[in-house]
Amino acid sequence: MKKVKSLFAILSIFMLITACGKSEPQTMTLSFESNPTTGYSWTATQNPELFTITDEYIENEHEEGMTGVGGQQVFLLLPNEQGTCEITFTYARSWEQTEADTTISYTVEIDKNKHIKMLSSKLAGGDDINSIPQIPKPVIE
């Protein structure tokens, strides 16, 4: 009986330690000012492809009947596997790729538990570069 109790206690401690070591994967959310009524929108590319990326456009509140209202394009990134990648967001018209396009890049690392760590960010090029006061900071949860 003592052996069974001891074995049960050891097994319980092992299960508790193992459960504490596990955690839920994190997500990364980024929000960019956008106005698709001008034809411009943000697109995301990644190298290598370690995330599943979805986005949603949320129009700013406005009076009924107003046109040309901007809003926020919100990206949700879910890690699929461990590694390091660069994610580049480009603000452009899909039908015209020019050097005037604004790009914001983030280098991120995903660990084995799918936790996300931002390593660096940079803003490059574009006519609208001066309209971006700072690089949007990701929300990692």
PDB file of all heavy atoms in Angstrom, residues 15 22 27 47 57 62 72 99 123:
ATOM      1  N   MET A  15       2.766  15.012 -13.087  1.00  0.00           N
ATOM      2  CA  MET A  15       1.680  15.562 -13.911  1.00  0.00           C
ATOM      3  C   MET A  15       1.525  17.059 -13.652  1.00  0.00           C
ATOM      4  O   MET A  15       1.303  17.828 -14.580  1.00  0.00           O
ATOM      5  CB  MET A  15       0.370  14.818 -13.641  1.00  0.00           C
ATOM      6  CG  MET A  15       0.366  13.415 -14.212  1.00  0.00           C
ATOM      7  SD  MET A  15      -1.093  12.449 -13.785  1.00  0.00           S
ATOM      8  CE  MET A  15      -2.383  13.406 -14.508  1.00  0.00           C
ATOM      9  N   LYS A  22       3.351  23.664 -19.732  1.00  0.00           N
ATOM     10  CA  LYS A  22       2.608  23.919 -20.965  1.00  0.00           C
ATOM     11  C   LYS A  22       1.853  25.233 -20.841  1.00  0.00           C
ATOM     12  O   LYS A  22       1.430  25.624 -19.772  1.00  0.00           O
ATOM     13  CB  LYS A  22       1.612  22.788 -21.237  1.00  0.00           C
ATOM     14  CG  LYS A  22       2.267  21.488 -21.595  1.00  0.00           C
ATOM     15  CD  LYS A  22       1.240  20.455 -21.952  1.00  0.00           C
ATOM     16  CE  LYS A  22       1.921  19.167 -22.346  1.00  0.00           C
ATOM     17  NZ  LYS A  22       0.954  18.121 -22.655  1.00  0.00           N
ATOM     18  N   THR A  27      -0.845  35.018 -29.533  1.00  0.00           N
ATOM     19  CA  THR A  27      -1.223  35.616 -30.807  1.00  0.00           C
ATOM     20  C   THR A  27      -0.593  37.001 -30.873  1.00  0.00           C
ATOM     21  O   THR A  27      -0.232  37.580 -29.852  1.00  0.00           O
ATOM     22  CB  THR A  27      -2.749  35.751 -30.954  1.00  0.00           C
ATOM     23  OG1 THR A  27      -3.244  36.598 -29.911  1.00  0.00           O
ATOM     24  CG2 THR A  27      -3.440  34.404 -30.921  1.00  0.00           C
ATOM     25  N   ASN A  47       8.350  35.583 -44.444  1.00  0.00           N
ATOM     26  CA  ASN A  47       9.393  34.705 -44.932  1.00  0.00           C
ATOM     27  C   ASN A  47      10.227  34.230 -43.751  1.00  0.00           C
ATOM     28  O   ASN A  47      10.886  35.050 -43.118  1.00  0.00           O
ATOM     29  CB  ASN A  47      10.275  35.447 -45.941  1.00  0.00           C
ATOM     30  CG  ASN A  47      11.317  34.551 -46.560  1.00  0.00           C
ATOM     31  OD1 ASN A  47      11.167  33.350 -46.580  1.00  0.00           O
ATOM     32  ND2 ASN A  47      12.381  35.147 -47.045  1.00  0.00           N
ATOM     33  N   TYR A  57     -11.108  44.836 -41.649  1.00  0.00           N
ATOM     34  CA  TYR A  57     -11.144  46.290 -41.739  1.00  0.00           C
ATOM     35  C   TYR A  57     -12.273  46.805 -40.856  1.00  0.00           C
ATOM     36  O   TYR A  57     -13.412  46.332 -40.943  1.00  0.00           O
ATOM     37  CB  TYR A  57     -11.355  46.750 -43.186  1.00  0.00           C
ATOM     38  CG  TYR A  57     -11.460  48.252 -43.298  1.00  0.00           C
ATOM     39  CD1 TYR A  57     -10.345  49.049 -43.127  1.00  0.00           C
ATOM     40  CD2 TYR A  57     -12.678  48.865 -43.526  1.00  0.00           C
ATOM     41  CE1 TYR A  57     -10.440  50.432 -43.191  1.00  0.00           C
ATOM     42  CE2 TYR A  57     -12.784  50.243 -43.600  1.00  0.00           C
ATOM     43  CZ  TYR A  57     -11.660  51.024 -43.430  1.00  0.00           C
ATOM     44  OH  TYR A  57     -11.750  52.383 -43.490  1.00  0.00           O
ATOM     45  N   HIS A  62     -18.690  57.422 -38.027  1.00  0.00           N
ATOM     46  CA  HIS A  62     -18.943  58.612 -38.846  1.00  0.00           C
ATOM     47  C   HIS A  62     -20.442  58.838 -38.976  1.00  0.00           C
ATOM     48  O   HIS A  62     -21.247  57.959 -38.679  1.00  0.00           O
ATOM     49  CB  HIS A  62     -18.300  58.448 -40.228  1.00  0.00           C
ATOM     50  CG  HIS A  62     -18.850  57.281 -40.989  1.00  0.00           C
ATOM     51  ND1 HIS A  62     -18.437  55.986 -40.764  1.00  0.00           N
ATOM     52  CD2 HIS A  62     -19.780  57.213 -41.964  1.00  0.00           C
ATOM     53  CE1 HIS A  62     -19.087  55.174 -41.563  1.00  0.00           C
ATOM     54  NE2 HIS A  62     -19.919  55.892 -42.306  1.00  0.00           N
ATOM     55  N   GLN A  72      -9.332  51.292 -39.505  1.00  0.00           N
ATOM     56  CA  GLN A  72      -8.196  50.483 -39.075  1.00  0.00           C
ATOM     57  C   GLN A  72      -8.248  49.127 -39.760  1.00  0.00           C
ATOM     58  O   GLN A  72      -9.307  48.503 -39.830  1.00  0.00           O
ATOM     59  CB  GLN A  72      -8.238  50.263 -37.560  1.00  0.00           C
ATOM     60  CG  GLN A  72      -8.125  51.514 -36.730  1.00  0.00           C
ATOM     61  CD  GLN A  72      -6.730  52.087 -36.792  1.00  0.00           C
ATOM     62  OE1 GLN A  72      -5.746  51.377 -36.670  1.00  0.00           O
ATOM     63  NE2 GLN A  72      -6.648  53.392 -36.996  1.00  0.00           N
ATOM     64  N   GLU A  99       7.816  52.081 -56.029  1.00  0.00           N
ATOM     65  CA  GLU A  99       8.749  52.365 -54.943  1.00  0.00           C
ATOM     66  C   GLU A  99       8.122  53.287 -53.901  1.00  0.00           C
ATOM     67  O   GLU A  99       8.660  53.456 -52.822  1.00  0.00           O
ATOM     68  CB  GLU A  99      10.026  53.000 -55.507  1.00  0.00           C
ATOM     69  CG  GLU A  99      10.854  52.032 -56.310  1.00  0.00           C
ATOM     70  CD  GLU A  99      12.135  52.653 -56.837  1.00  0.00           C
ATOM     71  OE1 GLU A  99      12.558  53.709 -56.330  1.00  0.00           O
ATOM     72  OE2 GLU A  99      12.717  52.060 -57.761  1.00  0.00           O
ATOM     73  N   LEU A 123      10.682  50.757 -40.695  1.00  0.00           N
ATOM     74  CA  LEU A 123       9.790  51.458 -41.614  1.00  0.00           C
ATOM     75  C   LEU A 123      10.606  51.827 -42.834  1.00  0.00           C
ATOM     76  O   LEU A 123      11.715  52.331 -42.705  1.00  0.00           O
ATOM     77  CB  LEU A 123       9.247  52.704 -40.920  1.00  0.00           C
ATOM     78  CG  LEU A 123       8.309  53.630 -41.671  1.00  0.00           C
ATOM     79  CD1 LEU A 123       7.027  52.911 -42.044  1.00  0.00           C
ATOM     80  CD2 LEU A 123       7.989  54.839 -40.803  1.00  0.00           C
TER      81      LEU A 123
END
